Amino acid sequence: MARADEGGVSFWIPGFFGSLAAAPAQAPGWQMTSISYHTSVSAGADVARAREFEIGRLNGVLAANVSANVNASVNVEFLAATYVFATPVLGGQASTTLLAGYGANSTSLAGTITGTLTGPNGGTFPFGPRSDAINSTIVGFTDLIPQFAIKWNAGVNNYMAYVTADLPAGAYDSMRLANMGIGHWAIDAGGGYTYFDQQKGHEFSAVLGFTYNFVNPATQYQNGVDMHLDWAASQFLTKQWQVGLVGYLYQQLGCDSGSGDRVGCFRSRVVGVGPQVGYIFPIGDKLQGYLNLKAYGEFANENRPAGWNLWLTFNLSPAATPPTSSRPMFTK
């Protein structure tokens, strides 16, 4: 979903890929997950200038100094449908998911711009100071996010590989400051590991992925390849209650590019960390519910806003069955 960040907008949503953790084997069949997501972020002059170029408020021949701030508040309700296959794939358990959301994005930009404007004959002219204030709000659907994953279990060790994508079907307008979609295709792939000791209640998960963003056809802007690492550590106090920490690191590896790029390489980075609490409970004889609340505070940001975000997740799935074997993942 589009946020007040780079000159172009990336696919990665802070904390999202942590939900792909390589959990132990699950019961085959359908699962439904609802996610209530809120984020509140702000950024300074560099991001504000990039957004003004993106939405056409600044011309590419303007060399500008910007004293401004961007603030955004986003609330989204996501719904994900997952099917876990009973037939093994490559010796593991495969699943496919489709996620979509509906919500609101309110973004504002305010500040002062001064600089020089280059004319068609090569001459330069003073520009400004100009005070700018933009308030933009959109309510609508997000992009569609399909995902395919395979998980393998070897006792307390669990492994996962996934591929996911962004299908630009959400509310998006390149001339609007606030959007619910990112306006371009993207593909992401990676893997994860979970250590889970059911006897001691120890759990640790990490998911590492890389995103390739395609050119935005409306702006001719392309975000560089990025890396994201989501992690979580928790302790089950009982068979139902779980407490712990969560975190993420986002680092753009490749430079932004494209004929619409007016801000240069513009690599972005942000780090987040915070608490989590989870609760597992039965629903009848055949279903199981899982509630999880996690919150992140962000820091060490560069060319990207920082703030905080909150996730409330409810998952409904067939009741889990204990593993019948602890044999290694690969056998001869």
Side-chain angles (χ1 to χ4, degrees):
M1 151 185 69
R3 297 170 301 281
D5 49 7
E6 298 95 326
V9 182
S10 63
F11 168 40
W12 179 77
I13 304 173
F16 169 71
F17 289 94
S19 64
L20 303 181
Q26 301 168 297
W30 285 100
Q31 298 184 17
M32 297 298 296
T33 303
S34 65
I35 303 171
S36 298
Y37 170 70
H38 172 80
T39 185
S40 179
V41 296
S42 60
D46 289 344
V47 174
R49 181 171 178 265
R51 293 312 305 273
E52 290 226 70
F53 276 123
E54 180 188 0
I55 64 177
R57 294 291 290 258
L58 293 180
N59 192 284
V61 295
L62 173 67
N65 294 314
V66 178
S67 176
N69 288 284
V70 180
N71 297 278
S73 178
V74 179
N75 291 280
V76 183
E77 293 294 326
F78 288 105
L79 184 64
T82 299
Y83 185 78
V84 179
F85 295 92
T87 303
V89 176
L90 299 177
Q93 187 177 56
S95 65
T96 183
T97 300
L98 181 63
L99 179 143
Y102 184 85
N105 181 348
S106 296
T107 303
S108 63
L109 185 153
T112 302
I113 303 169
T114 59
T116 57
L117 187 66
T118 301
N121 60 354
T124 59
F125 307 91
F127 176 87
R130 186 191 83 185
S131 295
D132 218 350
I134 308 171
N135 293 288
S136 179
T137 299
I138 180 67
V139 177
F141 288 98
T142 67
D143 291 346
L144 295 175
I145 301 176
Q147 178 230 323
F148 178 77
I150 304 177
K151 298 179 180 182
W152 298 269
N153 170 256
V156 297
N157 300 302
N158 302 273
Y159 308 88
M160 179 268 292
Y162 77 89
V163 61
T164 187
D166 184 279
L167 311 184
Y172 174 80
D173 185 336
S174 63
M175 303 300 290
R176 185 171 56 215
L177 188 62
N179 286 294
M180 296 304 295
I182 65 175
H184 64 265
W185 294 77
I187 187 167
D188 186 283
Y193 169 78
T194 292
Y195 174 87
F196 181 48
D197 188 329
Q198 296 189 43
Q199 300 299 319
K200 298 180 180 180
H202 302 333
E203 180 268 340
F204 173 79
S205 298
V207 178
L208 177 66
F210 299 86
T211 307
Y212 179 84
N213 295 282
F214 292 86
V215 176
N216 184 324
T219 63
Q220 294 303 306
Y221 193 103
Q222 184 174 19
N223 288 80
V225 173
D226 65 63
M227 176 199 75
H228 49 84
L229 174 67
D230 292 74
W231 61 267
S234 68
Q235 173 68 45
F236 278 86
L237 304 177
T238 69
K239 291 184 177 180
Q240 293 180 288
W241 283 102
Q242 166 197 27
V243 296
L245 294 174
V246 290
Y248 52 74
L249 165 65
Y250 171 88
Q251 176 65 62
Q252 186 176 329
L253 303 177
C255 288
D256 291 353
S257 61
S259 60
D261 180 9
R262 299 287 183 267
V263 294
C265 187
F266 214 69
R267 289 192 181 100
S268 58
R269 180 187 67 235
V270 72
V271 180
V273 67
Q276 70 159 327
V277 59
Y279 178 62
I280 301 172
F281 55 96
I283 301 177
D285 296 330
K286 297 182 179 180
L287 296 177
Q288 174 178 279
Y290 175 63
L291 274 172
N292 180 273
L293 178 65
K294 56 185 179 180
Y296 299 87
E298 296 183 322
F299 57 96
N301 60 309
E302 182 178 349
N303 294 328
R304 188 179 183 96
W308 60 276
N309 56 83
L310 184 72
W311 297 74
L312 176 61
T313 301
F314 171 67
N315 175 261
L316 180 64
S317 63
T321 56
T324 58
S325 173
S326 58
R327 291 181 300 173
M329 179 172 58
F330 299 108
T331 59
K332 294 184 179 179

